[in-house]
Amino acid sequence: MASSPKDAAVTAGAMTASLAVAVAVVQTAKLSPGLLVVAAALGLPLGRTRRDEDWLDRVIALTVLPLVAAAAVAMHALLAGPYAALGAALFVVTLSTTVWVRRWGARATTAGAQASMPLLIVVLVAPVGMADIGWTALIAMMTCGVVLVTHLLTGTPSQRRADTPPQRRLPASTKMAIQLGVALALAFLCGRFVLGEHWQWAVLTTFLVCSGNRGRADVVHKGVLRVAGAAAGTGGATLLLPLFDGSPAAHLAAVFVVLLAGIWSRSFSYAYWAGSITAALAFTYAYFAQSAASLLVVRLAGILLGGVIAIVVSWYLLPVRSTAVARLRVAESVRALAVFLESLQERVVGHGGEQLPEHRVRFEQAVGRVEEIAAPFEARRRLMGSRPTGGRRHADVFDALRDSARSVRELAAYVEGSPGVHRKPGVAALVGQARKELGVLSADDDRPRPALEGAQLLTVLRRTNERLAETAAALAARSP
């Protein structure tokens, strides 16, 4: 789901503040400049993803991040020495575990994401020596603290998403962990064999494409955008490097600028985000004296190799069907909409409905989960044109749910902001008609009804949206 301008500004502010604190520490203690890259690279993902956490999550972050950062320094030392195979094995197992723990709910998912960030940054992006292991842990803790303070000062975000119920089949998190482990192992082997000392590009690309697997279509779509965006980013950065005349300060400034550009452009396309991240990596490696233009082909080859490995493994090994993910998330949204409408009807007749704001938030979160998987279906719709295909139908359903979300926000604003207006005659009847339209789709259990698959789903959602629009118009007419 696209981030809002406020979210982008908060992310940029958190990263800037983290880097400023790190600069003060590094200059005062005369530490390795590589720690500045650690602070900036940690501040960016933390700033993007940590706004919906409670205090227990924050305590976990302040504990997990420094410990994993120190462990990452040790892993990098193993990879750089005679025990590279052991270091690679530890890296693969640890990153796969950060995905596997998602089976235990939102808090475990958050902890896993926290652990993966310092591993990637220290091992693949800004390696630091064993002499700086303690300082690396301290910088990680300070960065986390600065980000948390920034978020507290910028307001309270939406509520945490509810955990999904456990499944009887092999959990998706287990499938994803196995896929990621196999893909990373192949990336290490192929990267070492094909790319030599520049294997990091293949491993990083493999992780970025595989880690957020929401189905085969999502992996292919993300892989293509990652390869295209990263190729443009690393190519552009490599061509610009001679303009900096070997200045370390200029390289760090370039890293900061392209990361800010990535924050702003991410809402337009993942390709822009991939390009900015890879350009930042190119400038980072240039900072560590790896700035020769001859590395361009090697970097592009590593990006392509990592993307191919991620796509092949995700497609053939324990694949997750994108249409199955779409059906489940659409069903979740339909159930949340039905609960909201029930609460809305209670509110308009004056008997209950106190949980209306909470139900609105849950529906918006469910639609947000649909947004996360929408891009590959929408890309297929653009490619197929007006031909009626399954991918096009799913994209049309996603559009209908977005329309529902807009209507729900409008209805909630009228009802919550104008007490008494919604209790006029006729409003309850309109809400009842919307519930009746949606009743064909609503289910009491976790299994979607047959109507949730096929053209009937789209027809019912559009009719429901018409009733919601009529209700909103009626409320608008009665507003003072």
Side-chain angles (χ1 to χ4, degrees), residues 230-280:
T234 192
T238 303
L239 294 176
L240 289 174
L241 283 174
L243 301 178
F244 293 93
D245 196 26
S247 169
H251 291 153
L252 287 179
V255 170
F256 185 73
V257 170
V258 295
L259 287 179
L260 288 179
I263 294 171
W264 175 78
S265 62
R266 182 184 177 90
S267 60
F268 299 103
S269 172
Y270 179 80
Y272 298 132
W273 173 250
S276 65
I277 293 298
T278 312

Side-chain angles (χ1 to χ4, degrees), residues 103-128:
R103 62 185 299 170
W104 285 302
R107 202 178 300 280
T109 299
T110 300
Q114 292 162 0
S116 67
M117 288 184 286
L119 281 171
L120 290 169
I121 292 164
V122 175
V123 175
L124 301 181
V125 179
V128 292

Side-chain angles (χ1 to χ4, degrees), residues 432-457:
Q433 291 176 15
R435 289 189 63 192
K436 183 178 179 180
E437 293 285 1
L438 195 66
V440 178
L441 302 178
S442 303
D444 295 330
D445 53 28
D446 293 324
R447 294 174 299 175
R449 291 184 178 179
L452 280 173
E453 303 179 33
Q456 185 181 2
L457 168 61

Side-chain angles (χ1 to χ4, degrees), residues 44-169:
L44 174 61
L46 287 173
R48 286 188 56 247
T49 60
R50 304 193 54 81
R51 299 197 69 214
D52 62 345
E53 297 175 354
D54 56 23
W55 283 105
L56 180 56
D57 281 324
R58 290 164 178 152
V59 171
I60 292 174
L62 289 170
T63 304
V64 169
L65 278 173
L67 292 177
V68 177
V73 175
M75 286 184 197
H76 175 259
L78 289 173
L79 285 166
Y83 301 102
L86 176 60
L90 289 173
F91 181 80
V92 170
V93 171
T94 305
L95 274 182
S96 300
T97 302
T98 64
V99 174
W100 179 71
V101 298
R102 296 176 186 176
R103 62 185 299 170
W104 285 302
R107 202 178 300 280
T109 299
T110 300
Q114 292 162 0
S116 67
M117 288 184 286
L119 281 171
L120 290 169
I121 292 164
V122 175
V123 175
L124 301 181
V125 179
V128 292
M130 286 295 293
D132 294 318
I133 187 170
W135 287 108
T136 304
L138 179 61
I139 289 293
M141 179 182 290
M142 293 176 63
T143 300
C144 182
V146 171
V147 170
L148 295 180
V149 170
T150 303
H151 287 169
L152 290 174
L153 294 176
T154 52
T156 303
S158 59
Q159 300 177 14
R160 172 194 291 277
R161 291 175 181 165
D163 291 341
T164 55
Q167 302 172 336
R168 295 182 181 179
R169 294 186 238 171

Side-chain angles (χ1 to χ4, degrees), residues 159 339-340 342-360 415-416 422-423:
Q159 300 177 14
V339 172
F340 170 81
E342 180 181 1
S343 183
L344 178 63
Q345 190 170 37
E346 292 175 352
R347 186 73 167 265
V348 298
V349 299
H351 300 294
E354 292 81 5
Q355 294 182 310
L356 183 66
E358 177 184 343
H359 293 152
R360 174 186 57 79
V415 172
E416 296 170 19
H422 50 280
R423 297 180 184 175

